[in-house]
């Protein structure tokens, strides 16, 4: 059963939540199952962690937090349905710092490897890489199971 046509409005029906899909839907999540947020023209450059040489992107992490808060507060999505995946451990750590477990206990945040074998209905895929050389590095990753809604930040 393909999920490419599953929408947030379908998710609400499945979970028996009652919400007006068109109300406060600035990101148009109710009508799309895959959303790309291209940050390449905004100079949101990556940073290299001095201790681990792993990469992180502060602006993309803040966009991720905005989307999580949007899903929770505006769209009334429970945290247990949201997963955040990124290819870099430094990005995972940075996101955990701004989306702390004590405030967001049921949101799973992990690297691609750490998320392997796991499933969530809504995946936010944060790809981190943005640099002057336009190198993508580990940014070409895929998912074994397609979530109902995927938000990709790159």
């Amino acid at each position: 059963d393909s999920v490419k046509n599953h929408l947030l409005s379908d998710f609400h029906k499945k979970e028996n939540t009652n919400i007006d899909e068109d109300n406060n839907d600035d990101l148009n999540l109710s009508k799309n199952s895959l959303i790309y947020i291209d940050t390449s023209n905004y100079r949101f450059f990556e940073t290299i962690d001095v201790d681990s040489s792993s990469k992180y992107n502060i602006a993309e992490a803040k966009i991720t937090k905005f989307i999580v808060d949007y899903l929770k507060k505006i769209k009334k999505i429970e945290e247990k349905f949201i997963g955040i995946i990124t290819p870099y451990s430094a990005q995972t750590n940075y996101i955990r710092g701004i989306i702390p477990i004590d405030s967001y206990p049921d949101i799973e945040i992990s690297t691609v490897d750490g998320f392997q074998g796991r499933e969530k209905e809504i995946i936010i895929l944060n790809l981190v890489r943005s640099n002057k050389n336009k190198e993508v590095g580990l940014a070409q990753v895929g998912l074994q199971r397609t979530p109902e809604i995927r938000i990709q930040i790159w």
Side-chain angles (χ1 to χ4, degrees):
D1 180 17
S2 174
V3 296
K4 71 178 183 177
N5 295 319
H6 290 196
L7 306 174
L8 190 60
S9 55
D10 299 327
F11 181 77
H12 281 295
K13 290 173 192 164
K14 184 173 86 175
E15 296 303 318
N16 294 319
T17 57
N18 207 2
I19 193 165
D20 177 7
E21 290 87 18
D22 296 322
N23 187 26
N24 296 319
D25 195 12
D26 297 332
L27 294 180
N28 218 10
L29 292 177
S30 297
K31 296 177 178 60
N32 295 294
S33 61
L34 178 61
I35 297 171
Y36 289 99
I37 300 174
D38 183 356
T39 64
S40 63
N41 292 324
Y42 294 99
R43 301 180 53 90
F44 295 159
F45 294 133
E46 67 202 42
T47 302
I48 298 175
D49 182 80
V50 293
D51 295 327
S52 68
S53 298
S54 183
K55 294 168 179 57
Y56 63 101
N57 188 310
I58 294 169
E60 288 188 12
K62 289 179 179 180
I63 292 169
T64 300
K65 183 178 187 313
F66 172 83
I67 292 168
V68 166
D69 289 339
Y70 176 88
L71 289 169
K72 284 182 59 182
K73 295 174 183 161
I74 304 299
K75 301 312 286 178
K76 309 295 187 212
I77 300 293
E78 292 180 61
E79 291 179 5
K80 67 182 181 180
F81 298 112
I82 302 171
I84 301 169
I85 303 173
T86 181
Y88 295 96
S89 60
Q91 186 74 350
T92 300
N93 294 336
Y94 191 85
I95 292 171
R96 284 183 180 147
I98 63 171
I99 302 176
I101 196 162
D102 55 334
S103 300
Y104 302 82
D106 295 323
I107 293 180
E108 193 164 345
I109 304 168
S110 188
T111 61
V112 175
D113 290 339
F115 206 87
Q116 188 172 348
R118 311 279 304 136
E119 293 184 4
K120 292 287 183 177
E121 299 302 318
I122 299 172
I123 293 295
I124 301 170
L125 182 60
N126 186 296
L127 297 177
V128 179
R129 297 303 300 267
S130 182
N131 54 63
K132 293 175 185 172
N133 298 329
K134 301 198 183 287
E135 297 169 338
V136 295
L138 298 174
Q140 301 300 322
V141 297
L143 300 171
Q144 291 179 330
R145 176 195 169 269
T146 306
E148 290 196 25
I149 299 168
R150 178 169 49 183
I151 301 166
Q152 188 166 324
I153 304 169
W154 59 299

